[in-house]
Every structure is written in structure tokens, then in C-alpha cells.
Amino acid sequence: MLTLTIAHRRELKARAHALHPVVMIGKTGLSVNVIEELDRGLASHELIKVKAQIDDRIARNALFEEICRQLDAAPVQHIGKVFVIYRPKPEEIDKKPVHAPNKKKREPFRTKRSFQN
């Protein structure tokens, strides 16, 4: 499970304020499909909201910790039945653009005044 600094957590809370829940967890709890959907959401968005339909507060806390542990994510916020989870995207070295070889710079255009002399 990742740990966040207070300043980073505050920034993530501010970013998550406008988000809508991506995954809804039913009363049956975690399943393989729910974990896979959470993993896909974190892979594409890196910061997601999750809503749990479980009424028991202690069970929700355990669920939140279990999700973060299984997905190697950081718990950002837990308010009522809504969780905010963060996992940074892995650096994609392969997709970085390759620089083109040295190109000639074009000459600047002549201005109107340069023709008058």
C-alpha cells in the first residue's frame, strides 16, 4: 500500500472533489470482477472514486483497506460510503516521442520594409 504526504493527499482530495464514482460495490462485497474493474479504472485515470453499498461502517473500513492492499494503491479519502483511491501510472518509456534528426531552420520571411530600401 502506498503512503502519501499530507500536501499530496490534500491536492488529490481537491482533484477528486469533482469526480463521480467509477465503480459501485454491492452488498456482496469484493469479487474478482470488481477488483479487475478497479484495476482498469486506476490504470486509466490514476485517481478514482468508489461507492460501496455496505451499511456496516467497520466492514467498509476493512473493504477500503483490502482494496488498497490488493491493488497497491494509496487511500486518499473515505467519507461515508465513498472511497477515493490513488495509484500513480507507471512511467511509459516506450511511448515517449523520438526526436527527429536536426532539421534546418527556415529563413524568416522578409518584411514589407525590407523591400522598400
Side-chain angles (χ1 to χ4, degrees), residues 57-105:
R57 183 182 302 175
I58 297 169
R60 282 195 310 262
N61 286 335
L63 180 69
F64 189 39
E65 291 175 6
E66 181 66 21
I67 289 170
C68 292
R69 187 187 62 75
Q70 283 189 16
L71 296 173
D72 194 31
V76 176
Q77 190 175 25
H78 175 203
I79 295 180
K81 295 183 178 184
V82 177
F83 312 141
V84 178
I85 302 171
Y86 172 73
R87 184 177 68 188
K89 289 183 181 180
E91 294 297 324
E92 297 176 343
I93 299 172
D94 300 337
K95 293 187 178 181
K96 287 187 177 178
V98 178
H99 294 290
N102 295 335
K103 291 184 177 179
K104 289 184 193 178
K105 289 188 176 180

Side-chain angles (χ1 to χ4, degrees), residues 48-63:
I48 61 170
K49 271 188 183 178
V50 179
K51 188 164 187 175
Q53 299 298 328
I54 300 171
D55 293 329
D56 186 22
R57 183 182 302 175
I58 297 169
R60 282 195 310 262
N61 286 335
L63 180 69

Side-chain angles (χ1 to χ4, degrees), residues 2-17 45-47 72-77 84-89 91:
L2 294 174
T3 56
L4 301 172
T5 63
I6 294 171
H8 195 217
R9 179 170 285 141
R10 187 178 303 137
E11 176 194 338
L12 291 172
K13 283 181 185 181
R15 280 180 35 199
H17 184 73
H45 299 292
E46 86 180 6
L47 180 68
D72 194 31
V76 176
Q77 190 175 25
V84 178
I85 302 171
Y86 172 73
R87 184 177 68 188
K89 289 183 181 180
E91 294 297 324

Side-chain angles (χ1 to χ4, degrees), residues 4-41:
L4 301 172
T5 63
I6 294 171
H8 195 217
R9 179 170 285 141
R10 187 178 303 137
E11 176 194 338
L12 291 172
K13 283 181 185 181
R15 280 180 35 199
H17 184 73
L19 297 177
H20 296 288
V22 174
V23 178
M24 302 278 276
I25 300 174
K27 293 188 180 194
T28 58
L30 282 180
S31 67
V32 176
N33 293 334
V34 171
I35 292 292
E36 288 174 357
E37 189 64 29
L38 288 167
D39 190 36
R40 279 193 295 268

